Amino acid sequence: MHIEIKKYSLVGTVTAVSISKKHTFSKKNQNIIKLVKGLGIEGDAHFGSTIKHRSRVAQNPDQPNLRQVHLIHSELFEELADRFHIEPGQMGENITTAGINLLELPADSILFIGTSAAILITGLRNPCAQIDQFQPGHLKAVIDQDGDGNLIRKAGIMGVVLESGEVEPGDEIRVELPPKPFKKLERV
């Protein structure tokens, strides 16, 4: 992976924030969400220091929760608009963004959002078959292959909360890249 970006050169915007208290596929839009350091988003089903994703809890409930926050760039909705109508929160993301291609960020990038919140990017969301229950054919639309036949997952990125803070639509997102060499995002 070759990325030539200077620290803080990427700036984007929060377009929506969403939570669900239960393990539902889609999340309901909110006016504001509260990120809590080391735990995730207050009031969301994935809140906690250990994994909350149901299939992973069944494997090992003591795993660290590397999926506290799910982010998707709204440009994905535009890319899929000829086949699907998608509103923020419907793909299960907590934070919908604009202006930054989240999928191109290296692992361990930090997103500073609003006045105090910070999220460490841990990896890619691995879309599952449940996405086709939302809209048939959606799974195939968010999985692609590169020229070498490697899988490209386009259903967003995951992260953990480094610094607490409130996040709302309109907040600025500033990106701090990790030291080189950059590590490619892998599924978490």
Side-chain angles (χ1 to χ4, degrees):
M1 178 178 213
H2 180 70
I3 300 176
E4 290 294 328
I5 304 169
K6 294 179 182 173
K7 286 190 176 193
Y8 303 113
S9 64
L10 293 176
V11 177
T13 306
V14 173
T15 61
V17 293
S18 311
I19 64 171
S20 177
K21 293 179 183 185
K22 297 181 179 179
H23 287 279
T24 57
F25 182 76
S26 296
K27 297 182 185 280
K28 186 176 179 190
N29 292 166
Q30 306 292 310
N31 292 325
I32 195 165
I33 58 175
K34 183 175 182 181
L35 279 63
V36 180
K37 182 178 180 175
L39 297 173
I41 300 172
E42 193 172 88
D44 192 74
H46 292 275
F47 186 78
S49 61
T50 56
I51 195 76
K52 302 300 177 202
H53 192 273
R54 290 183 292 187
S55 67
R56 294 183 183 197
V57 167
Q59 294 171 0
N60 176 1
D62 299 322
Q63 296 176 68
N65 188 1
L66 301 178
R67 301 165 54 98
Q68 294 174 1
V69 183
H70 177 200
L71 301 98
I72 290 182
H73 55 294
S74 60
E75 290 84 356
L76 175 65
F77 304 159
E78 296 165 16
E79 177 187 330
L80 302 176
D82 62 332
R83 296 169 280 167
F84 304 98
H85 177 77
I86 307 165
E87 296 290 330
Q90 287 185 322
M91 287 183 59
E93 77 275 12
N94 300 110
I95 300 174
T96 311
T97 69
I100 301 171
N101 186 341
L102 301 174
L103 303 176
E104 290 183 358
L105 294 175
D108 300 324
S109 294
I110 299 174
L111 304 181
F112 294 93
I113 305 177
T115 58
S116 60
I119 299 169
L120 175 71
I121 303 308
T122 55
L124 295 167
R125 175 188 182 193
N126 190 34
C128 65
Q130 190 178 25
I131 202 167
D132 275 342
Q133 294 169 4
F134 166 62
Q135 291 184 18
H138 203 124
L139 179 61
K140 187 174 182 177
V142 295
I143 294 181
D144 207 348
Q145 288 188 343
D146 66 16
D148 296 326
N150 298 312
L151 209 57
I152 299 173
R153 294 170 174 88
K154 300 192 280 186
I157 62 173
M158 308 304 285
V160 296
V161 180
L162 287 181
E163 293 296 333
S164 299
E166 294 182 339
V167 176
E168 60 187 308
D171 279 350
E172 183 179 79
I173 304 166
R174 297 162 316 284
V175 178
E176 178 181 300
L177 298 173
K180 290 183 179 182
F182 294 144
K183 294 184 294 186
K184 186 177 176 182
L185 290 174
E186 300 292 337
R187 72 178 179 92
V188 292

